Amino acid sequence: MLNVEGLVKKFGNFRALDGADISVKEGKILGLAGPNGSGKTTFINVVSGVYKPNGGKIFFNGKSIYKLEPHTIVHLGLNRTFQVPKPLSGLTVEQNVKVAAVYGSKEGNVKDKINSALNSVELDNVKHKEASSLTSAQQKLLGLARALATNPKMLLIDEIAAGLNQHELKRIADMLIKLNKFGITMIVVEHLMSFLDILTDDVVVMNAGVNLFRGSIKEASMNEEVVEVFLGR
Amino acid sequence: MLKKRIGSFGIILIIALIFIFLPFVYNNQSFLFNMMLYIALAEGLNIIYGFTGYLPFGYVGFFGAGAYSASLAILFLHFPPLLSIFIGGAGAFLVGIILMPLLKLSGAYFAIANLAASQALYYIVANPNLESITHGPYGISLASIYNPHASYYTMLAVLVLSMIIVLFIRTSNFGLSLLAIKEDHITASLAGVNVAKARAIAWGLSAFVAGLSGACFAWYVSVFYPGTVFSLNISVIVIVFALFGGIGTIAGPLVGALILYSFYNFIGISAPEYFQLLYGILIIVLVLFLPDGITSILQKRKIYVP
Ligand SMILES: Nc1ncnc2c1ncn2[C@@H]1O[C@H](COP(=O)(O)OP(=O)(O)O)[C@@H](O)[C@H]1O
Ligand SMILES: [Mg+2]
């Protein structure tokens, strides 16, 4: 469903992505792990059109989305969430989702899309609150709700579980599994292997802007290179 | 949503009725004309500044472009006045399209570039080499079609149109998308909003309103110079009026223009030396205590301001 080859993103002379190859098949969840600064967020930013790439190929459903605008990519059915939430602060939770329901996809009834998105992330009870008044964890879920309201076929999820306790982790993991069962393909970026372990058995480990390893979490934990980049030196 | 629309329509209707009937009981027509002009301009500025956050210091450029496009349509093409007023709006809209790349700039850079653009336009129009077309620095005379009555009511129509555009933006999904862009344009684009297109539409509408207003002004006064219709004072006054009332609503710019222009007219003309002082104090007080304008007093109490 998503095929990325040799993706390069430079900030000045620094190559945050240095030829990353990552692909996911329709209906799957791929875990994306790697130490801080390895380029996971940059990967999502480039694929979703927020940053323009400096080289490589990006195909979504067989169509090149390389250098397309974010809204065009969203309309093709690919959306993402943010590691650091970016809510429409002055708008209510419901209005946040409404923008996405109206502009994200022509299919479906706007009211239904808003309700089902808020329902999926369990934010219905705060829908009249201003987005700025939510906790950071709730704002991440709001970001997920906005993405869901655009009727995505695929989601790129960036560290949605960071800073949550064990119980909340489980709740979010169940939420993602449910969405996946409804047919949404996912790349889930996560620092915590234990969280990825609940979701999938297929993980890519990145380091220094390239994919270093692909396989199961168990294999990853036995791979010398992976252990080295995670433990450092 | 429907209730809010009806409430806003009520305000527009009241304003329209006031300006229809006031000339019969109050004989200072030029004050009434200018009041309508400034409300319309403050609403027009509100479209771009209140809903997208771009502060157009060169807003007067659209006003001047409107005044000149309409005048040239009258003088050279012999178009009837109403059609020429529309040409004024279209001329300003065209200038808006030409200046569209400015929307790529942010904050102060946009404001300064827009200011420079409006002055560039002024120098083009006032250039003696273009005398055969624009009459250069000698200005325009539309004495042959002078009609204070008809131009007054045309201005009223433009005023109503400007408020209806703001009403539409305020209560439509399009307006919601503009607010989303103003909050965070990346989040808005990931909600599927075509950010560049939405900004361009707001920019074009805003320019169109200023152009229509400039054209009505040209018709109403019928004699003017480039410096009259490209005066930076107009930009500043309109920005102050809109900010004073509060942007992002229909009522804010309306209230701001009503209060400040009355104030200017009754104190500024009879006692200009006190006026400057009072005006300065008023603006300082506003910036310090009510940065979101007077209507924000109501909004802070969760009262809906149309
Ligand atoms: N906008 C940016 N400008 C400059 N450098 C950036 C920018 N975004 C990310 N980087 C750099 O790119 C590298 C990868 O960052 P990031 O993709 O956020 O890593 P990760 O998400 O894996 O922790 C880091 O060294 C980071 O400092
Ligand atoms: Mg990251």
Side-chain angles (χ1 to χ4, degrees), chain A residues 9-12 14-17 33-45 51 83 158-159 189 191 206 209:
Chain A
K9 174 66 194 173
K10 295 193 267 189
F11 295 111
F14 174 70
R15 290 167 166 264
L17 292 176
N36 268 331
S38 55
K40 306 180 296 292
T41 298
T42 304
F43 175 79
I44 291 185
N45 279 333
Y51 289 167
Q83 179 175 355
D158 200 355
E159 304 218 12
V189 168
H191 206 64
M206 275 181 85

Side-chain angles (χ1 to χ4, degrees), chain A residues 49-120:
Chain A
V50 172
Y51 289 167
K52 297 283 169 265
N54 301 103
K57 290 176 183 159
I58 313 173
F59 287 95
F60 178 64
N61 266 335
K63 186 179 183 315
S64 173
I65 57 167
Y66 188 82
K67 286 192 178 169
L68 293 187
E69 292 292 324
H71 67 92
T72 313
I73 295 174
V74 167
H75 292 156
L76 292 170
L78 177 60
N79 212 325
R80 53 85 58 90
T81 69
F82 285 92
Q83 179 175 355
V84 180
K86 286 167 73 68
L88 305 168
S89 304
L91 306 186
T92 65
V93 167
E94 191 173 26
Q95 285 175 316
N96 264 265
V97 181
K98 185 177 178 186
V99 183
V102 173
Y103 286 92
S105 150
K106 289 201 178 71
E107 284 155 43
N109 169 288
V110 169
K111 278 222 170 79
D112 293 345
K113 284 191 281 189
I114 297 172
N115 289 336
S116 112
L118 285 174
N119 203 4
S120 303

Side-chain angles (χ1 to χ4, degrees), chain A residues 50 70-71 74-75 79-80 82 86 88-91 95 98-100 102-104 146 150, chain B residues 1 173-177 179-181 183-184 186-195 302:
Chain A
V50 172
H71 67 92
V74 167
H75 292 156
N79 212 325
R80 53 85 58 90
F82 285 92
K86 286 167 73 68
L88 305 168
S89 304
L91 306 186
Q95 285 175 316
K98 185 177 178 186
V99 183
V102 173
Y103 286 92
R146 265 196 316 269
T150 65
Chain B
M1 194 64 104
N173 287 333
F174 174 64
L176 182 63
S177 78
L179 290 179
I181 295 170
E183 290 282 346
D184 188 319
I186 292 175
T187 301
S189 69
L190 289 162
V193 176
N194 185 337
V195 173
K302 302 276 172 215

